[in-house]
PDB file of all heavy atoms in Angstrom:
ATOM      1  N   ARG A 122      -9.552 -18.228 -15.873  1.00 59.00           N
ATOM      2  CA  ARG A 122      -8.708 -18.068 -17.053  1.00 59.00           C
ATOM      3  C   ARG A 122      -8.474 -19.431 -17.686  1.00 59.00           C
ATOM      4  O   ARG A 122      -8.274 -20.412 -16.986  1.00 59.00           O
ATOM      5  CB  ARG A 122      -7.363 -17.439 -16.661  1.00 59.00           C
ATOM      6  CG  ARG A 122      -6.504 -17.070 -17.871  1.00 59.00           C
ATOM      7  CD  ARG A 122      -5.227 -16.385 -17.430  1.00 59.00           C
ATOM      8  NE  ARG A 122      -4.287 -17.330 -16.851  1.00 59.00           N
ATOM      9  CZ  ARG A 122      -3.053 -17.002 -16.441  1.00 59.00           C
ATOM     10  NH1 ARG A 122      -2.660 -15.752 -16.519  1.00 59.00           N
ATOM     11  NH2 ARG A 122      -2.251 -17.912 -15.933  1.00 59.00           N
ATOM     12  N   ARG A 123      -8.514 -19.482 -19.000  1.00 57.00           N
ATOM     13  CA  ARG A 123      -8.331 -20.760 -19.681  1.00 57.00           C
ATOM     14  C   ARG A 123      -6.856 -21.161 -19.693  1.00 57.00           C
ATOM     15  O   ARG A 123      -5.993 -20.363 -20.016  1.00 57.00           O
ATOM     16  CB  ARG A 123      -8.870 -20.695 -21.098  1.00 57.00           C
ATOM     17  CG  ARG A 123     -10.386 -20.557 -21.117  1.00 57.00           C
ATOM     18  CD  ARG A 123     -10.977 -20.890 -22.472  1.00 57.00           C
ATOM     19  NE  ARG A 123     -12.432 -20.856 -22.405  1.00 57.00           N
ATOM     20  CZ  ARG A 123     -13.184 -21.851 -21.975  1.00 57.00           C
ATOM     21  NH1 ARG A 123     -12.620 -22.974 -21.565  1.00 57.00           N
ATOM     22  NH2 ARG A 123     -14.494 -21.744 -21.939  1.00 57.00           N
ATOM     23  N   VAL A 124      -6.614 -22.388 -19.303  1.00 56.00           N
ATOM     24  CA  VAL A 124      -5.266 -22.945 -19.289  1.00 56.00           C
ATOM     25  C   VAL A 124      -5.204 -24.056 -20.326  1.00 56.00           C
ATOM     26  O   VAL A 124      -6.073 -24.936 -20.367  1.00 56.00           O
ATOM     27  CB  VAL A 124      -4.918 -23.493 -17.889  1.00 56.00           C
ATOM     28  CG1 VAL A 124      -3.520 -24.095 -17.894  1.00 56.00           C
ATOM     29  CG2 VAL A 124      -5.042 -22.387 -16.857  1.00 56.00           C
ATOM     30  N   PHE A 125      -4.200 -24.009 -21.188  1.00 55.00           N
ATOM     31  CA  PHE A 125      -4.041 -24.980 -22.273  1.00 55.00           C
ATOM     32  C   PHE A 125      -5.246 -24.999 -23.211  1.00 55.00           C
ATOM     33  O   PHE A 125      -5.524 -25.995 -23.864  1.00 55.00           O
ATOM     34  CB  PHE A 125      -3.795 -26.395 -21.720  1.00 55.00           C
ATOM     35  CG  PHE A 125      -2.608 -26.483 -20.835  1.00 55.00           C
ATOM     36  CD1 PHE A 125      -2.720 -26.955 -19.530  1.00 55.00           C
ATOM     37  CD2 PHE A 125      -1.353 -26.076 -21.280  1.00 55.00           C
ATOM     38  CE1 PHE A 125      -1.617 -27.029 -18.705  1.00 55.00           C
ATOM     39  CE2 PHE A 125      -0.247 -26.156 -20.453  1.00 55.00           C
ATOM     40  CZ  PHE A 125      -0.378 -26.626 -19.162  1.00 55.00           C
ATOM     41  N   GLY A 126      -6.010 -23.878 -23.219  1.00 55.00           N
ATOM     42  CA  GLY A 126      -7.069 -23.713 -24.194  1.00 55.00           C
ATOM     43  C   GLY A 126      -8.388 -24.388 -23.870  1.00 55.00           C
ATOM     44  O   GLY A 126      -9.371 -24.203 -24.569  1.00 55.00           O
ATOM     45  N   TYR A 127      -8.450 -25.197 -22.795  1.00 53.00           N
ATOM     46  CA  TYR A 127      -9.713 -25.887 -22.553  1.00 53.00           C
ATOM     47  C   TYR A 127     -10.136 -25.899 -21.083  1.00 53.00           C
ATOM     48  O   TYR A 127     -11.310 -26.034 -20.770  1.00 53.00           O
ATOM     49  CB  TYR A 127      -9.640 -27.336 -23.052  1.00 53.00           C
ATOM     50  CG  TYR A 127      -8.644 -28.190 -22.319  1.00 53.00           C
ATOM     51  CD1 TYR A 127      -9.012 -28.924 -21.197  1.00 53.00           C
ATOM     52  CD2 TYR A 127      -7.317 -28.274 -22.745  1.00 53.00           C
ATOM     53  CE1 TYR A 127      -8.089 -29.709 -20.518  1.00 53.00           C
ATOM     54  CE2 TYR A 127      -6.391 -29.058 -22.085  1.00 53.00           C
ATOM     55  CZ  TYR A 127      -6.783 -29.775 -20.971  1.00 53.00           C
ATOM     56  OH  TYR A 127      -5.864 -30.545 -20.305  1.00 53.00           O
ATOM     57  N   LEU A 128      -9.199 -25.765 -20.157  1.00 51.00           N
ATOM     58  CA  LEU A 128      -9.534 -25.867 -18.741  1.00 51.00           C
ATOM     59  C   LEU A 128      -9.646 -24.475 -18.129  1.00 51.00           C
ATOM     60  O   LEU A 128      -8.683 -23.708 -18.150  1.00 51.00           O
ATOM     61  CB  LEU A 128      -8.463 -26.681 -18.010  1.00 51.00           C
ATOM     62  CG  LEU A 128      -8.647 -26.837 -16.493  1.00 51.00           C
ATOM     63  CD1 LEU A 128      -9.926 -27.616 -16.196  1.00 51.00           C
ATOM     64  CD2 LEU A 128      -7.445 -27.538 -15.892  1.00 51.00           C
ATOM     65  N   ALA A 129     -10.797 -24.132 -17.598  1.00 51.00           N
ATOM     66  CA  ALA A 129     -10.990 -22.840 -16.949  1.00 51.00           C
ATOM     67  C   ALA A 129     -10.757 -23.010 -15.453  1.00 51.00           C
ATOM     68  O   ALA A 129     -11.330 -23.898 -14.820  1.00 51.00           O
ATOM     69  CB  ALA A 129     -12.397 -22.306 -17.195  1.00 51.00           C
ATOM     70  N   MET A 130      -9.906 -22.177 -14.886  1.00 48.00           N
ATOM     71  CA  MET A 130      -9.616 -22.287 -13.465  1.00 48.00           C
ATOM     72  C   MET A 130      -9.267 -20.906 -12.918  1.00 48.00           C
ATOM     73  O   MET A 130      -8.788 -20.042 -13.658  1.00 48.00           O
ATOM     74  CB  MET A 130      -8.456 -23.251 -13.211  1.00 48.00           C
ATOM     75  CG  MET A 130      -7.148 -22.840 -13.861  1.00 48.00           C
ATOM     76  SD  MET A 130      -5.833 -24.038 -13.590  1.00 48.00           S
ATOM     77  CE  MET A 130      -5.583 -23.854 -11.832  1.00 48.00           C
ATOM     78  N   PRO A 131      -9.528 -20.643 -11.609  1.00 47.00           N
ATOM     79  CA  PRO A 131      -9.170 -19.347 -11.037  1.00 47.00           C
ATOM     80  C   PRO A 131      -7.661 -19.240 -10.867  1.00 47.00           C
ATOM     81  O   PRO A 131      -7.027 -20.135 -10.319  1.00 47.00           O
ATOM     82  CB  PRO A 131      -9.891 -19.339  -9.687  1.00 47.00           C
ATOM     83  CG  PRO A 131     -10.057 -20.778  -9.347  1.00 47.00           C
ATOM     84  CD  PRO A 131     -10.204 -21.509 -10.651  1.00 47.00           C
ATOM     85  N   VAL A 132      -7.078 -18.176 -11.350  1.00 45.00           N
ATOM     86  CA  VAL A 132      -5.635 -17.969 -11.245  1.00 45.00           C
ATOM     87  C   VAL A 132      -5.401 -16.668 -10.500  1.00 45.00           C
ATOM     88  O   VAL A 132      -5.974 -15.638 -10.854  1.00 45.00           O
ATOM     89  CB  VAL A 132      -4.972 -17.909 -12.643  1.00 45.00           C
ATOM     90  CG1 VAL A 132      -3.473 -17.702 -12.514  1.00 45.00           C
ATOM     91  CG2 VAL A 132      -5.275 -19.177 -13.409  1.00 45.00           C
ATOM     92  N   PHE A 133      -4.571 -16.690  -9.469  1.00 43.00           N
ATOM     93  CA  PHE A 133      -4.318 -15.472  -8.692  1.00 43.00           C
ATOM     94  C   PHE A 133      -3.529 -14.457  -9.505  1.00 43.00           C
ATOM     95  O   PHE A 133      -2.674 -14.811 -10.292  1.00 43.00           O
ATOM     96  CB  PHE A 133      -3.543 -15.794  -7.410  1.00 43.00           C
ATOM     97  CG  PHE A 133      -3.077 -14.567  -6.691  1.00 43.00           C
ATOM     98  CD1 PHE A 133      -3.992 -13.732  -6.105  1.00 43.00           C
ATOM     99  CD2 PHE A 133      -1.745 -14.220  -6.670  1.00 43.00           C
ATOM    100  CE1 PHE A 133      -3.575 -12.580  -5.471  1.00 43.00           C
ATOM    101  CE2 PHE A 133      -1.318 -13.081  -6.051  1.00 43.00           C
ATOM    102  CZ  PHE A 133      -2.238 -12.254  -5.430  1.00 43.00           C
ATOM    103  N   GLY A 134      -3.788 -13.186  -9.244  1.00 44.00           N
ATOM    104  CA  GLY A 134      -2.995 -12.110  -9.849  1.00 44.00           C
ATOM    105  C   GLY A 134      -3.582 -11.678 -11.173  1.00 44.00           C
ATOM    106  O   GLY A 134      -4.358 -10.745 -11.243  1.00 44.00           O
ATOM    107  N   SER A 135      -3.228 -12.385 -12.250  1.00 47.00           N
ATOM    108  CA  SER A 135      -3.678 -11.982 -13.570  1.00 47.00           C
ATOM    109  C   SER A 135      -5.178 -12.150 -13.743  1.00 47.00           C
ATOM    110  O   SER A 135      -5.764 -11.591 -14.663  1.00 47.00           O
ATOM    111  CB  SER A 135      -2.938 -12.786 -14.646  1.00 47.00           C
ATOM    112  OG  SER A 135      -3.175 -14.157 -14.467  1.00 47.00           O
ATOM    113  N   ALA A 136      -5.833 -12.957 -12.892  1.00 62.00           N
ATOM    114  CA  ALA A 136      -7.273 -13.166 -13.005  1.00 62.00           C
ATOM    115  C   ALA A 136      -8.061 -12.172 -12.165  1.00 62.00           C
ATOM    116  O   ALA A 136      -9.284 -12.187 -12.179  1.00 62.00           O
ATOM    117  CB  ALA A 136      -7.628 -14.589 -12.592  1.00 62.00           C
ATOM    118  N   LEU A 137      -7.387 -11.319 -11.415  1.00 75.00           N
ATOM    119  CA  LEU A 137      -8.082 -10.371 -10.554  1.00 75.00           C
ATOM    120  C   LEU A 137      -8.433  -9.129 -11.356  1.00 75.00           C
ATOM    121  O   LEU A 137      -7.580  -8.542 -12.009  1.00 75.00           O
ATOM    122  CB  LEU A 137      -7.184  -9.996  -9.374  1.00 75.00           C
ATOM    123  CG  LEU A 137      -7.875  -9.281  -8.210  1.00 75.00           C
ATOM    124  CD1 LEU A 137      -8.836 -10.230  -7.506  1.00 75.00           C
ATOM    125  CD2 LEU A 137      -6.841  -8.773  -7.224  1.00 75.00           C
ATOM    126  N   ARG A 138      -9.706  -8.737 -11.297  1.00 80.00           N
ATOM    127  CA  ARG A 138     -10.172  -7.604 -12.074  1.00 80.00           C
ATOM    128  C   ARG A 138     -10.888  -6.604 -11.168  1.00 80.00           C
ATOM    129  O   ARG A 138     -11.576  -6.983 -10.225  1.00 80.00           O
ATOM    130  CB  ARG A 138     -11.159  -8.052 -13.146  1.00 80.00           C
ATOM    131  CG  ARG A 138     -10.647  -9.135 -14.047  1.00 80.00           C
ATOM    132  CD  ARG A 138      -9.698  -8.614 -15.091  1.00 80.00           C
ATOM    133  NE  ARG A 138     -10.379  -7.811 -16.098  1.00 80.00           N
ATOM    134  CZ  ARG A 138      -9.785  -7.316 -17.168  1.00 80.00           C
ATOM    135  NH1 ARG A 138      -8.500  -7.517 -17.353  1.00 80.00           N
ATOM    136  NH2 ARG A 138     -10.453  -6.612 -18.045  1.00 80.00           N
TER     137      ARG A 138
END
Side-chain angles (χ1 to χ4, degrees):
R122 188 177 74 177
R123 292 197 175 277
V124 179
F125 302 123
Y127 65 91
L128 178 64
M130 61 182 292
V132 180
F133 171 68
S135 59
L137 194 68
R138 306 282 290 185

